[in-house]
Amino acid sequence: MEPRKGTAQKDRKGSEREAPDPGEGKVVRGVRVRPARKDDLPALVGLLVRLKRLNGEFDPLLAVRPDAEEQALRVLSADLSNPNSLLLSAEATGADEGKVVGVLRATIRERLFYVPEKEGVVLDIYLLPAHRRGGLGEYLVEEATRILKERGAGVITVEFPSLNEIATRFYAKRGFRPITSIHARSV
Amino acid sequence: MGDAVSSVRPKETVREPPSGADAPGDSAHRAERETAELSERAVELARHYGGKMEVVPRVPIRSLADFSYWYTPGIAQVSREIQRDPDLSFELTGRWNTIGIVTDGSRVLGLGDVGPRAALPVMEGKALLFKYLGGVDAFPLPIQVASPEEFVETVRRLEPALGGVNMEDTASPKCFWILDRLQATLRIPVWHDDQLGTAAATVAGLLNALEVTGRRIDTARIVLLGAGAANLATARLLRALGADMGAMIMVDQKGILQAEREDLDELMLHNRWKYDLALETNEIRRRGGLAEALDGADVLLAASRPDPRAVRPEWVGRMAPNPIVFALANPDPEIWPQVAREAGAAVVATGRSDFPNQVNNSLVFPFVFRGILDARATGIPDPVVLAAARELARAARVRGVTAEHILPTMDEESVFPEIAAAVATQAVELGIARVRRSRAEFLEMATQRMTRSRRLGQWLSQNGLLPPMPPEG
């Protein structure tokens, strides 16, 4: 969600030089990025709920439901079998070999009135704090972009709370700009 | 966490509480009673004297004619000189010796958010300590602000009148942001005593405690209990001293701080300083509470809340042999010293003057400011803070360091100007001093200015200009 500037740049260049191998997954900062598997689910649920709690810090209208874990399990399980979904796991190597430390959830959306007609949407992205600031978040986004583009997306969008300035800066630096806004009020 | 108030309160008759974990017993009751009496008397005296500080001239006034120099028309030229060279404001006005004691009153002593007006008597007391101990003219300036941004902006606007800023009693974590912003934007030194004063005294004591127990800073396993202003600053200074940060463990109300704790994202957004330490410390991701943290630890630095049961003796027993225990909460330490010693602690320090080894920020702030003002420094970076800590440690070693004497006491007055001189010299070495002198010259300068201040107070009293203390009762 918030890799720090300097190192992120370096890794970005590094990752651009070597073409990532989609099957094996590429190791960035001691973490391997690969398609999620069924046995990742318990860890992915934890990460997704952490992300939703983080979102809850920005706005009371994003307060997390008590059954968030069940919801997460339901949504993530569905992702695994949905051809329109993309679920990437970031898996530690070395001492913590095999431990899932990050997740990216994305989907392909049809745009009924606009061109490009297909939109790759990054719905959720979360890294455990110890794995931030090293360029891994950037790599996840780039990897998702590559795959979604392969699947026909002509535009990549991301969704996050409006008051998340860290995310705003992170994406702005990578060429994203706001195109639609969701405004809310309690009723 | 010896604060100014505890450092100057009269020596209490209370000594060690009887042994046992729940030891306070009679002596604690006695201490409570004495505190109640002191409180009553303090209100009585505040009413009698109508505050603690007043403004006194620095120049003689032989007749009103002298105001031609002190005021118009002569003063216009002084004004023009400063307009030509703003740094002259440190020479041609009292700015060189003037600081503001700034607070929003959001965390006053142990009272909490009492607001700026109720903070004023505390800031006056601090100003009195600055004047009496350091010869520093400190203006108590509680400010009414609605946000950290407004705090910074307000102090920024006061800069032309001040040679330095002492921040005080402002809640954590906003105090970190405010201090960082002020240090980055002001060209005068800014200090937050609850962070730096306490941290400097703690580090000074720790350096000697390590020596007494034959340890080294870079190999000692250090546990910090409490993650407020003082301990976060202490951790930063320990990093600068080369402590093993990966082996360090911080513990707060939620237990051991570690990179995968559930509240880490919340910390990332609201307490960046603690978040950074969560990632940097506790490499092995130890989980649990203080008991687990202390397993095999060499040092405990507790700066949490007054509760003598916070650190259990059996946990001290789990530490490495001959451990170091600092229990700095006031008025009651996290563990009574005798209890800690019986549990095996080789060196124990508290924030109280009635036990050996008082970690007391009054040993630091008046003299740090004396030195930093004498050097007319533009800032007060961590190496300067460390210079004060190292000098304090060195001064204690001159008299001989033992398990019961790791820090100078407030009676060891010859130490005070030495700290000022060490600070001023460090500022010169860092290239942030507007006044460049030798250490001996700074020592002389500090001694004179501090002595004069004390003599002034004595003279006012002896000549009847300060009314005598009213009889008690």
Side-chain angles (χ1 to χ4, degrees):
Chain A
M1 178 83 59
E2 45 99 25
R4 215 166 240 178
K5 300 83 209 176
T7 45
Q9 294 292 354
K10 207 167 52 208
D11 283 332
R12 182 190 188 183
K13 281 179 194 136
S15 65
E16 278 169 2
R17 273 198 302 274
E18 306 160 47
D21 180 346
E24 294 297 306
K26 183 182 144 58
V27 174
V28 177
R29 298 276 294 199
V31 174
R32 184 184 300 112
V33 174
R34 55 158 175 80
R37 297 187 304 251
K38 199 158 184 239
D39 59 339
D40 293 340
L41 278 175
L44 293 177
V45 165
L47 295 171
L48 194 57
V49 172
R50 272 180 180 253
L51 171 65
K52 300 304 171 185
R53 292 221 176 90
L54 169 59
N55 289 346
E57 293 287 326
F58 296 103
D59 200 301
L61 282 175
L62 296 172
V64 171
R65 283 165 56 153
D67 63 346
E69 288 198 11
E70 293 142 49
Q71 293 290 355
L73 181 61
R74 200 176 54 74
V75 164
L76 290 162
S77 306
D79 284 339
L80 286 175
S81 54
N82 183 343
N84 269 335
S85 294
L86 173 64
L87 197 56
L88 294 176
S89 288
E91 174 189 74
T93 59
D96 281 338
E97 180 70 48
K99 181 175 169 185
V100 178
V101 298
V103 61
L104 182 145
R105 266 189 83 222
T107 190
I108 297 273
R109 244 179 229 162
E110 199 73 31
R111 302 171 93 217
L112 295 178
F113 302 102
Y114 307 116
V115 288
E117 287 166 23
K118 273 190 171 186
E119 174 179 344
V121 189
V122 177
L123 297 163
D124 299 298
I125 173 169
Y126 187 85
L127 292 176
L128 284 177
H131 297 276
R132 296 172 193 170
R133 301 179 180 177
L136 181 57
E138 164 130 38
Y139 177 71
L140 270 172
V141 172
E142 294 306 325
E143 181 66 357
T145 301
R146 186 183 65 78
I147 297 169
L148 294 166
K149 192 177 166 190
E150 272 176 15
R151 296 187 190 172
V155 55
I156 302 294
T157 59
V158 298
E159 297 177 356
F160 56 84
S162 301
L163 293 181
N164 187 345
E165 289 169 18
I166 298 169
T168 305
R169 280 196 301 273
F170 174 83
Y171 290 110
K173 205 173 283 175
R174 284 149 189 90
F176 290 78
R177 64 175 187 271
I179 57 163
T180 56
S181 304
I182 298 179
H183 292 228
R185 70 168 191 202
S186 306
V187 287
Chain B
M1 220 180 327
D3 59 25
V5 176
S6 74
S7 68
V8 291
R9 81 183 163 197
K11 283 255 191 269
E12 287 163 26
T13 48
V14 189
R15 292 301 301 179
E16 282 297 76
S19 68
D22 313 319
D26 284 351
S27 50
H29 288 302
R30 193 157 58 235
E32 231 169 75
R33 216 165 38 241
E34 279 175 11
T35 307
E37 283 163 19
L38 288 174
S39 304
E40 201 178 316
R41 178 77 170 151
V43 174
E44 192 182 301
L45 291 174
R47 184 166 288 122
H48 183 76
Y49 285 101
K52 294 177 277 294
M53 299 297 293
E54 68 177 326
V55 175
V56 175
R58 190 187 287 287
V59 295
I61 306 161
R62 293 162 302 181
S63 74
L64 279 175
D66 282 342
F67 280 93
S68 315
Y69 316 115
W70 308 143
Y71 201 50
T72 59
I75 202 66
Q77 188 53 33
V78 181
S79 184
R80 277 194 288 268
E81 296 280 327
I82 295 174
Q83 187 187 20
R84 185 175 55 76
D85 176 5
D87 270 1
L88 284 178
S89 61
F90 287 93
E91 287 177 30
L92 306 182
T93 74
R95 192 180 174 194
W96 64 272
N97 199 45
T98 302
I99 67 166
I101 304 180
V102 187
T103 184
D104 63 358
S106 58
R107 193 184 184 283
V108 175
L109 306 176
L111 304 175
D113 189 354
V114 300
R117 281 163 201 84
L120 185 53
V122 187
M123 301 309 120
E124 280 192 339
K126 193 93 178 190
L128 191 61
L129 278 165
F130 265 116
K131 185 70 176 176
Y132 180 72
L133 293 173
V136 174
D137 293 312
F139 283 93
L141 293 173
I143 54 177
Q144 179 88 56
V145 290
S147 68
E149 290 79 7
E150 224 176 276
F151 192 120
V152 169
E153 187 53 24
T154 305
V155 177
R156 208 179 62 75
R157 287 168 192 269
L158 291 169
E159 183 179 14
L162 303 173
V165 173
N166 176 69
M167 245 177 93
E168 196 77 27
D169 289 357
T170 300
S172 162
K174 69 178 163 186
C175 65
F176 303 110
W177 185 86
I178 293 170
L179 180 66
D180 281 0
R181 291 292 306 156
L182 286 175
Q183 287 189 333
T185 46
L186 269 52
R187 281 200 71 241
I188 52 174
V190 185
W191 173 272
H192 179 206
D193 204 43
D194 304 291
Q195 291 182 57
L196 301 168
T198 308
T202 303
V203 164
L206 178 62
L207 289 174
N208 282 340
L210 291 169
E211 183 167 306
V212 169
T213 57
R215 290 180 166 93
R216 288 163 42 132
I217 183 89
D218 55 345
T219 51
R221 266 235 310 109
I222 301 171
V223 173
L224 295 132
L225 173 64
N231 260 355
L232 292 188
T234 297
R236 203 175 80 221
L237 293 186
L238 290 174
R239 182 199 294 123
L241 282 171
D244 183 348
M245 297 304 283
M248 183 181 290
I249 296 185
M250 288 200 101
V251 182
D252 64 10
Q253 299 103 306
K254 292 182 181 155
I256 291 179
L257 193 63
Q258 45 91 12
E260 292 186 11
R261 216 168 73 169
E262 289 288 333
D263 62 339
L264 227 63
D265 287 316
E266 189 190 327
L267 291 176
M268 176 180 78
L269 298 176
H270 305 301
N271 192 339
R272 202 58 190 233
W273 300 265
K274 194 165 157 183
Y275 175 78
D276 288 343
L277 281 166
L279 297 185
E280 190 181 3
T281 61
N282 193 7
E283 261 170 4
I284 58 164
R285 304 257 169 85
R286 199 182 286 212
R287 290 162 196 249
L290 182 60
E292 288 74 25
L294 286 178
D295 245 338
D298 296 299
V299 178
L300 168 63
L301 302 177
S304 55
R305 53 195 63 233
D307 171 13
R309 302 169 59 112
V311 180
R312 310 292 300 181
E314 55 270 28
W315 300 344
V316 174
R318 289 166 73 163
M319 296 175 73
N322 299 317
I324 297 164
V325 174
F326 283 22
L328 304 179
N330 271 330
D332 291 346
E334 291 87 346
I335 183 169
W336 293 106
Q338 191 180 321
V339 177
R341 270 193 299 275
E342 279 169 8
V347 181
V348 183
T350 69
R352 287 167 58 137
S353 57
D354 52 341
F355 297 127
N357 297 332
Q358 185 191 15
V359 173
N360 182 355
N361 57 357
S362 295
L363 285 166
V364 179
F365 70 82
F367 319 117
V368 164
F369 268 95
R370 181 69 276 142
I372 212 78
L373 289 171
D374 288 349
R376 287 181 210 166
T378 53
I380 188 153
D382 282 352
V384 172
V385 185
L386 287 173
R390 286 204 181 92
E391 180 58 29
L392 199 51
R394 193 196 63 80
R397 286 199 290 274
V398 169
R399 208 190 239 197
V401 169
T402 67
E404 305 255 292
H405 185 258
I406 55 169
L407 280 166
T409 65
M410 291 307 288
D411 303 330
E412 296 172 52
E413 290 176 19
S414 62
V415 172
F416 303 165
E418 297 278 357
I419 299 167
V423 162
T425 308
Q426 182 67 45
V428 170
E429 279 168 22
L430 291 172
I432 56 167
R434 295 182 181 95
V435 172
R436 304 172 68 85
R437 297 273 191 284
S438 70
R439 176 165 173 145
E441 287 169 313
F442 277 129
L443 182 63
E444 176 60 25
M445 200 186 286
T447 306
Q448 269 183 20
R449 287 171 177 170
M450 288 158 60
T451 309
R452 177 183 176 275
S453 183
R454 294 225 184 167
R455 281 185 53 208
L456 180 68
Q458 283 161 2
W459 192 90
L460 289 172
S461 278
Q462 284 160 6
N463 290 277
L465 286 165
L466 299 181
M469 292 278 244
E472 292 195 40

